[in-house]
Amino acid sequence: MNTASQNSPLGTAPIGKLLRQFAIPSIIAMLVSSLYNIVDQFFIGNAIGALGNAATNIAFPLNTSCVAVALLFGIGGASTFNLAMGRGDTKEAGSFIGNSVLVMVALGVVLSGITLIFLQPILLFCGSPADVLPYAMEYTRITALGFPFLILSIGGGHLVRADGSPKMTMAINIIGAVVNTILDALFVFVFQWGMKGAAWATVIGQVVASLVVIWYLFHYKTVSLTGNCFRPKGAVIERVASLGAAPCFNQLAMMLVQIVMNKTLKYYGAQSIYGESIPIACSGIIAKVSMLVMAFVIGISQGLQPIVSFNYGAKQYRRVKQALILALGSGACICAVSFVAFQLFPRQIISIFGDGSDLYFQFAENFFRKFLFFIGLCFMQPISANFFTAIGKPKKGIFMSLTRQIIFLLPLLLILPLFMGIDGVVYAGPVADLVATILCTLLVIGELRHPEFSKKE
């Protein structure tokens, strides 16, 4: 064990205590982050109705693209930073943080500009029906202004946690979400600004959260972030991107799948009794509710990251294995509880986001129960993908992050509806979840059979 390992609690403290210390704030941060979309969905659904809900679902892929960038340089920066600190290389570690921040802000500005210039074509490409398009444009024209702040608030939270401050990461997300919620109630219900009010509430919350991130960067604890750390370095950016690629590709895959699903639901919905808008509105609500469950799982995987990265860098492989097994067990318990809730109370959950016709609830209940039938298994893929990223094996992490969304779900969304109509979309979800879980489980077992995970230290 090197000197850095001896001096850091990441290398010596009990694994259970460390996972609670890092995962619980991460879970809270992810839950609060999810509220940005869910709170908007709640207020819009109750104030405007199904068309408003459908509009937020059409705009959601753009939000996902920002999250992808945030994870690319947030988790990538955190992983490279912790691996460097585990090796005792404090000089290099600061450059990973500075370059990550620089690129996140730059890409946020680029994404914002592209969206504002090509807004209508982008929303039509995302599958917007004609009656939903005006709402989607009104909402996205404003939220696009907040893309740099959204990226910095999410990605910066990972860099803050890597500095050993998970509670500050939690605070960053809570502050933004609380501001968003309060302003949503004020702008939508009191001022009756509708979609515009919900959008401005979201942007202002993101600005506040990103300002807290900037403040923290000036008070970084483990290394001093000098101006040289923020000087662009190609090798540093490449290394950060390689380790952040797995979660980034997972988000990009989610974005692509969401677009294909919207288009598929629109096309086959028009041929069914439900029409174009009802399936899109329902699938959007269900996707965001499932995000609450995945917030727990992703929070666990994010809490696992610094523990695994540091101990793998310090060659303490048994601690790496212990942390992974504990994380998987925790994720399994959470997903099992969600399965029971989603099977027993789908209508009650959907009703939170506004009222609708009998057809609306008929489709929503059926979609909820069947599409998320294997939600109980959905802990395996994100935790195991992040595990491989954390130990510096990004290619495996990228592959695993693509299994559920791209390799399995996307083809199923295109093929099954040809034979089953709109029901094909419903059944694509559980099939993809099951097959992806089996594959990821086999890959993790294979990794844990390597000699370093069984030998005594």
Side-chain angles (χ1 to χ4, degrees), residues 13 41 71 95 102 153-154 156 159-160 178-179 200 205 238-239 243 267 271 277 287 383 435 439:
Q41 195 90 56
L71 298 185
S95 292
L102 182 67
S153 62
I154 294 176
L159 304 181
V160 170
V178 168
V179 170
W200 277 118
E238 182 180 358
R239 180 60 177 163
L243 291 190
Y267 179 79
Q271 301 178 19
S277 299
I383 292 178
V435 180
L439 179 58

Side-chain angles (χ1 to χ4, degrees), residues 127-151:
S128 179
D131 56 350
V132 175
L133 184 60
Y135 297 96
M137 290 188 65
E138 182 180 15
Y139 182 77
T140 311
R141 186 177 287 113
I142 297 169
T143 56
L145 298 174
F147 284 175
F149 304 102
L150 171 60
I151 292 171

Side-chain angles (χ1 to χ4, degrees), residues 298-311:
I298 295 172
I300 290 171
S301 72
Q302 291 175 354
L304 178 70
Q305 178 268 314
I307 304 169
V308 166
S309 291
F310 188 95
N311 284 283

Side-chain angles (χ1 to χ4, degrees), residues 58-141:
I58 293 298
F60 194 59
L62 295 171
N63 181 83
T64 306
S65 69
C66 292
V67 176
V69 173
L71 298 185
L72 178 64
F73 291 97
I75 290 181
S79 297
T80 50
F81 174 81
N82 287 132
L83 284 167
M85 293 297 289
R87 296 189 303 267
D89 189 357
T90 58
K91 183 178 180 180
E92 185 184 29
S95 292
F96 291 128
I97 300 298
N99 276 246
S100 296
V101 172
L102 182 67
V103 178
M104 281 192 287
V105 174
L107 290 179
V109 173
V110 171
L111 285 175
S112 178
I114 292 173
T115 301
L116 291 172
I117 293 171
F118 303 104
L119 181 58
Q120 183 170 329
I122 288 173
L123 294 177
L124 289 173
F125 177 76
C126 290
S128 179
D131 56 350
V132 175
L133 184 60
Y135 297 96
M137 290 188 65
E138 182 180 15
Y139 182 77
T140 311
R141 186 177 287 113

Side-chain angles (χ1 to χ4, degrees), residues 129-422:
D131 56 350
V132 175
L133 184 60
Y135 297 96
M137 290 188 65
E138 182 180 15
Y139 182 77
T140 311
R141 186 177 287 113
I142 297 169
T143 56
L145 298 174
F147 284 175
F149 304 102
L150 171 60
I151 292 171
L152 183 59
S153 62
I154 294 176
H158 294 285
L159 304 181
V160 170
R161 185 173 55 255
D163 191 42
S165 299
K167 291 182 179 178
M168 178 56 73
T169 299
M170 176 181 67
I172 290 166
N173 286 276
I174 289 176
I175 290 170
V178 168
V179 170
N180 179 35
T181 303
I182 293 173
L183 293 181
D184 255 326
L186 182 65
F187 293 168
V188 177
F189 283 170
V190 179
F191 295 166
Q192 297 186 346
W193 288 353
M195 301 294 293
K196 179 172 65 176
W200 277 118
T202 298
V203 171
I204 294 172
Q206 292 162 355
V207 170
V208 172
S210 64
L211 289 176
V212 179
V213 171
I214 293 171
W215 173 86
Y216 186 90
L217 292 173
F218 284 101
H219 300 83
Y220 221 67
K221 298 186 303 183
T222 51
V223 298
S224 177
L225 296 179
T226 63
N228 187 58
C229 295
F230 294 88
R231 186 174 300 166
K233 300 173 184 176
V236 170
I237 294 172
E238 182 180 358
R239 180 60 177 163
V240 168
S242 70
L243 291 190
C248 171
F249 281 133
N250 192 42
Q251 289 295 317
L252 292 176
M254 288 174 59
M255 179 183 71
L256 178 59
V257 167
Q258 186 66 50
I259 293 171
V260 171
M261 182 177 290
N262 286 342
K263 288 178 172 290
T264 304
L265 289 172
K266 176 184 176 182
Y267 179 79
Y268 289 99
Q271 301 178 19
S272 71
I273 59 175
Y274 304 111
E276 292 181 343
S277 299
I278 284 178
I280 293 176
C282 293
S283 68
I285 294 173
I286 291 165
K288 290 168 186 175
V289 170
S290 66
M291 282 175 58
L292 288 177
V293 178
M294 298 313 296
F296 283 93
V297 176
I298 295 172
I300 290 171
S301 72
Q302 291 175 354
L304 178 70
Q305 178 268 314
I307 304 169
V308 166
S309 291
F310 188 95
N311 284 283
Y312 196 85
K315 299 183 179 181
Q316 299 191 86
Y317 300 113
R318 283 204 173 188
R319 289 175 61 81
V320 173
K321 183 176 179 179
Q322 290 170 6
L324 173 63
I325 292 174
L326 182 58
L328 290 173
S330 302
C333 293
I334 291 166
C335 287
V337 172
S338 69
F339 167 78
V340 175
F342 291 169
Q343 292 300 310
L344 294 181
F345 309 111
R347 189 182 184 95
Q348 291 85 339
I349 296 172
I350 290 290
S351 298
I352 295 172
F353 301 94
D355 203 358
S357 64
D358 289 339
L359 282 176
Y360 173 83
F361 282 107
Q362 178 184 325
F363 182 84
E365 290 184 54
N366 182 56
F367 195 97
F368 217 134
R369 285 196 173 102
K370 293 178 180 177
F371 192 82
L372 298 178
F373 186 78
F374 282 123
I375 188 72
L377 303 178
C378 286
F379 65 93
M380 189 70 198
Q381 187 256 354
I383 292 178
S384 56
N386 206 31
F387 164 73
F388 280 104
T389 298
I391 63 174
K393 297 185 178 181
K395 290 183 180 179
K396 285 188 176 181
I398 292 170
F399 172 73
M400 296 174 78
S401 69
L402 296 177
T403 52
R404 196 263 181 185
Q405 301 287 346
I406 296 296
I407 299 176
F408 300 125
L409 182 56
L410 186 59
L412 289 169
L413 285 173
L414 296 173
I415 295 171
L416 291 185
L418 295 174
F419 304 97
M420 304 173 66
I422 199 166

